[in-house]
Amino acid sequence: MTAGTIEIRNPADGSVVGRMPAAGEDEIDAALAQANRTRARWARTPAAERGALLHTAAGRVRAHADELAKANEAETGRPWDEAREGVLAGAGTLDQYAELGPVHRGRSLLGGVGATDLMVPEPRGVVVALTPWNDPVAVACGLLGAALATGNTVVHKPSERAPHTGQLLGEVLGDVFPAGALQTLHGDGGVGAILAMRDDVDVIAHVGSTATGRSIAASAAATGAKTLLENGGNDPLVIDEDVDPGWAAGQAALGAFANSGQLCVAVERIYVCSAVAEPFLAALVKEASSRTLAPLVDRRHRDHVHAHVSDAIERGARLLAGGEVPDGPGAHYPATVLTGCAPDSRVMTEETFGPVAAVRIVDGFDEGLAEAAEGDYGLAATVLTASMGHAQRAWRELPAGTVKVNNVFGGAPGGAAHPRRRSGNGYGYGPELLDELTQTKLVHIAPPA
């Protein structure tokens, strides 16, 4: 970001996609002032009416799905068909909160016969939503939909790596709601930091890096704003000795290489039992070598991913596939397989967020489970096993908000989990997100004496 302007280059070929002016302090002041002026009116709008508007918004997103996917592909390199799936998922989430909002309820209490006692959910006020670039429409629609359904006003700052997608989403949704209910601002982390430090913000909802999440938490501690943080992850995969190594390699490749590894719940570190390690690694290398990946979001991020790979090799890891920066334009990086990774190497302790399968061979399931449970993150984890006993141990013992058994991706709709440790706090999805975005008022009504 230079001179108040964000420049985005296509990560496939390095061409300029466009430039977007970043918000200055006057624009931030104006947006928050309008959000605060609108909050009372929007909170008084009946929940059914808010839900109907969210259904309209979902229809608008579907109608513009092709354009949103095209903008996403140009800015981040995500293939158009995958980007479109994310857009449609976002529309579905808006529909979900359109239905859940009107039935979000408090409860009555059993007090005295002549009195009424209620616990009533109310909007928190002004929500700042800071959303990421790797699935920009789907993630934004979840936070925006839940916040609007519960009667909050929203100021949305999309990632500076996908501002055109964010701007188009704001234009698609903006005139569906009353003026001031939903606004879009652009800028880098500096704009996000200013928003996080404001006293006239009630909730800061962030999906992104751990470093940014920690900075937001520090700002919110001073202002009193509530935080919802889904930070980074360093998700483990444990492969038991009783599973088919070829199938396990397919699961590992899907988890590590989908969207070029740029998923918050990507497989980052793999612990495979020695009994199946050799055929597993051979199959994983074959998987990696057969994949042509979309580029990483930009060269700065590619430098980060390659630094992790170089660090692992310096610490004794063996490179079995990929691991070299290709010549030519853009931000391409190959599917990479490492084995013999030291426990303290960056690929095993930090979030790489790239197409890197980092493998450690362990003596057995107990050792793999113990190593998988270590670390500073706690977003998600996966275990591949034919043993029901091992599966039960895994989901009980792994300190992660989400644990998956025999499927690196998947799960029923509406699921919600608490990230652990450095991975954040608060529900980020599902009906429980409505609870996060409301505050409870206890009401006692008694007749006059």
Side-chain angles (χ1 to χ4, degrees), residues 43 74 78 89 127 133 178 203 361 364:
R78 190 171 194 183
V127 176
W133 51 265
V203 180
I361 299 172

Side-chain angles (χ1 to χ4, degrees), residues 40-399:
R41 173 191 170 194
W42 182 239
R44 287 195 299 267
T45 302
E49 290 184 23
R50 296 196 298 257
L53 291 176
L54 282 169
H55 276 312
T56 300
R60 292 282 302 273
V61 170
R62 289 190 180 92
H64 292 271
D66 291 358
E67 299 166 63
L68 286 161
K70 182 179 179 181
N72 189 357
E73 181 180 36
E75 292 189 306
T76 71
R78 190 171 194 183
W80 181 87
D81 54 344
E82 294 181 19
R84 193 173 187 277
E85 289 177 9
V87 172
L88 296 178
T93 302
L94 292 173
D95 277 330
Q96 178 187 64
Y97 286 121
E99 296 294 327
L100 290 173
V103 298
H104 183 237
R105 59 188 183 272
R107 59 190 176 97
S108 60
L109 305 173
L110 299 178
V113 174
T116 299
D117 291 273
L118 304 170
M119 294 176 65
V120 182
E122 295 182 328
R124 288 184 175 271
V126 176
V127 176
V128 165
L130 307 174
T131 59
W133 51 265
N134 60 315
D135 201 355
V137 176
V139 175
C141 284
L143 292 177
L144 305 185
L148 292 165
T150 46
N152 300 280
T153 56
V154 184
V155 175
H156 176 213
K157 191 197 84 66
S159 169
E160 66 271 24
R161 282 167 158 158
H164 296 87
T165 308
Q167 178 66 24
L168 179 56
L169 180 64
E171 292 170 356
V172 167
L173 298 180
D175 61 1
V176 173
F177 304 98
L182 174 60
Q183 301 172 79
T184 304
L185 295 177
H186 296 290
D188 64 358
V191 172
I194 292 171
L195 289 166
M197 291 187 291
R198 292 288 296 245
D199 289 324
D200 48 356
V201 168
D202 300 285
V203 180
I204 309 162
H206 166 259
V207 178
S209 74
T210 294
T212 300
R214 285 184 161 183
S215 175
I216 290 168
S219 295
T223 65
K226 178 181 175 62
T227 60
L228 288 173
L229 305 175
E230 185 189 293
N231 300 335
N234 184 230
D235 295 357
L237 167 65
V238 180
I239 300 170
D240 208 347
E241 62 186 13
D242 57 3
V243 299
D244 175 73
W247 168 74
Q251 285 285 302
L254 176 62
F257 305 142
N259 200 30
S260 299
Q262 299 170 123
L263 295 172
C264 57
V265 291
V267 168
E268 297 256 341
R269 49 193 173 113
I270 300 169
Y271 303 93
V272 58
C273 290
S274 58
V276 293
E278 185 175 344
F280 166 77
L281 285 169
L284 183 57
V285 169
K286 186 175 180 181
E287 288 272 1
S289 301
S290 67
R291 291 174 181 254
T292 301
L293 302 182
L296 299 180
V297 66
D298 56 31
R299 290 194 168 198
R300 174 164 59 94
H301 184 54
R302 184 174 70 177
D303 290 344
H304 161 83
V305 172
H306 189 61
H308 277 209
V309 172
S310 299
D311 171 78
I313 294 170
E314 290 171 4
R315 293 172 184 266
R318 287 192 299 126
L319 181 65
L320 301 184
E324 295 182 356
V325 176
D327 295 329
H332 299 273
Y333 200 78
T336 297
V337 179
L338 297 163
T339 189
C341 297
D344 61 349
S345 59
R346 296 179 69 184
V347 290
M348 305 302 286
T349 59
E350 301 176 16
E351 183 176 44
T352 301
F353 216 66
V356 179
V359 181
R360 278 183 58 76
I361 299 172
V362 294
D363 288 338
F365 182 80
D366 288 351
E367 182 180 353
L369 189 63
E371 291 202 22
E374 295 176 353
D376 296 329
Y377 296 88
L379 192 57
T382 307
V383 173
L384 306 181
T385 181
S387 166
M388 181 59 70
H390 284 179
Q392 292 285 352
R393 278 188 58 202
W395 77 256
R396 290 185 182 277
E397 295 179 17
L398 287 169

